[in-house]
């Protein structure tokens, strides 16, 4: 039986101020899985799996005889709820990468638009409504008796701002980032049998 596990380094912690929902093995609740036959790039199975920390997933599929399989997984973490704030991501964020397999190389593609929150009082909370998309690829896997480990990667980065020494009687109330990239196309590639992924962004437009 074909089973899946998730490696414990799925995410890097980030404060809520810089990204609303940093995904880790402790916070991930599920992911979409597509498995492809490598010899003809045909879809083997496609399914969404609910998941909790430490779980091993039984795919309910058996390994195909004498054939290798490539596994492609992705997830979009839900937006957190913050007490006293009624935030709505506009536009609504979707994340549905497409995958192609050619001669053992896996390429995924998606377009991402960073949402706005709408104004709450005198503050903007765009960072709080930006979810955290993650992807994992395990290419060219031969039949094995153990589980297939998935190592997820973050196409987007969190930003942490720290204030150094401030002159006396000066109070820093807010910090702002200008010319933020709002929309872009992402291509990510994996090959061989490892789970390293290279991300390339293009067609980026400023906010």
């Amino acid at each position: 039986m074909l089973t899946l596990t998730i490696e414990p380094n799925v995410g890097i912690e980030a404060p809520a101020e810089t990204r609303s929902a940093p995904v880790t093995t402790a916070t991930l609740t599920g992911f979409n899985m597509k498995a492809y036959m490598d010899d003809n790039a045909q879809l083997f199975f496609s399914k969404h799996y609910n998941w909790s920390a430490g779980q091993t997933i039984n795919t309910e599929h058996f390994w195909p005889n004498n054939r290798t399989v490539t596994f492609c997984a992705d997830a979009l973490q839900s937006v957190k709820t913050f007490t006293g704030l009624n935030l709505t991501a506009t536009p609504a964020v979707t994340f549905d990468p497409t995958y192609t397999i050619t001669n053992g190389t896996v390429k995924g593609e998606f377009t991402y638009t960073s949402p706005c929150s709408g104004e709450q009082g005198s503050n903007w909370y765009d960072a709080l409504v930006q979810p955290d998309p993650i992807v994992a690829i395990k290419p060219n896997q031969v039949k094995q008796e153990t589980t297939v480990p998935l190592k997820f990667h973050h196409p987007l980065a969190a930003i942490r701002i720290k204030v150094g020494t401030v002159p006396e009687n000066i109070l820093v109330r807010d910090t702002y980032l200008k010319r933020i990239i709002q929309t872009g196309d992402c291509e990510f590639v994996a090959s061989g049998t490892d789970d390293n992924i290279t991300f390339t962004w293009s067609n980026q437009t400023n906010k």
Side-chain angles (χ1 to χ4, degrees):
M1 186 65 69
L2 199 165
T3 56
L4 305 168
T5 58
I6 295 180
E7 295 187 348
N9 58 345
V10 61
I12 299 175
E13 291 292 349
E17 291 82 359
T18 64
R19 185 173 60 192
S20 68
V23 183
T24 68
T25 48
T27 61
L28 182 65
T29 58
F31 58 91
N32 301 313
M33 166 61 67
K34 293 181 179 179
Y36 297 87
M37 301 289 192
D38 288 318
D39 55 359
N40 59 12
Q42 293 298 305
L43 185 65
F44 178 30
F45 67 85
S46 176
K47 188 176 180 178
H48 176 83
Y49 294 100
N50 295 322
W51 188 83
S52 58
Q55 180 182 359
T56 296
I57 291 177
N58 185 340
T59 67
E60 299 180 352
H61 291 272
F62 289 94
W63 282 94
N65 286 331
N66 303 317
R67 302 175 77 177
T68 61
V69 178
T70 285
F71 300 91
C72 303
D74 52 73
L76 185 70
Q77 182 74 20
S78 300
V79 178
K80 284 183 177 180
T81 300
F82 295 88
T83 303
L85 297 176
N86 182 21
L87 305 179
T88 301
T90 305
V93 180
T94 59
F95 184 60
D96 187 21
T98 60
Y99 300 94
T100 56
I101 301 175
T102 306
N103 297 325
T105 297
V106 186
K107 182 175 73 172
E109 297 178 299
F110 67 92
T111 296
Y112 186 86
T113 299
S114 178
C116 296
S117 66
E119 191 172 9
Q120 299 284 327
S122 59
N123 298 312
W124 289 85
Y125 294 91
D126 290 357
L128 300 185
V129 298
Q130 178 170 288
D132 187 16
I134 56 174
V135 296
I137 298 176
K138 199 71 174 180
N140 306 307
Q141 297 300 293
V142 298
K143 181 179 179 180
Q144 51 193 280
E145 300 302 325
T146 59
T147 59
V148 177
L150 300 175
K151 181 179 179 180
F152 281 92
H153 300 261
H154 299 264
L156 300 177
I159 299 174
R160 178 176 297 180
I161 298 175
K162 292 185 177 181
V163 178
T165 303
V166 178
E168 188 176 355
N169 299 324
I170 298 296
L171 176 64
V172 178
R173 295 184 181 273
D174 296 289
T175 58
Y176 298 89
L177 298 176
K178 294 185 177 181
R179 296 183 62 79
I180 300 297
I181 299 297
Q182 183 178 25
T183 301
D185 297 331
C186 182
E187 177 182 293
F188 53 99
V189 177
S191 60
T193 58
D194 60 25
D195 43 26
N196 293 322
I197 299 177
T198 301
F199 294 94
T200 302
W201 285 89
S202 61
N203 299 325
Q204 296 170 312
T205 57
N206 291 329
K207 186 172 180 179

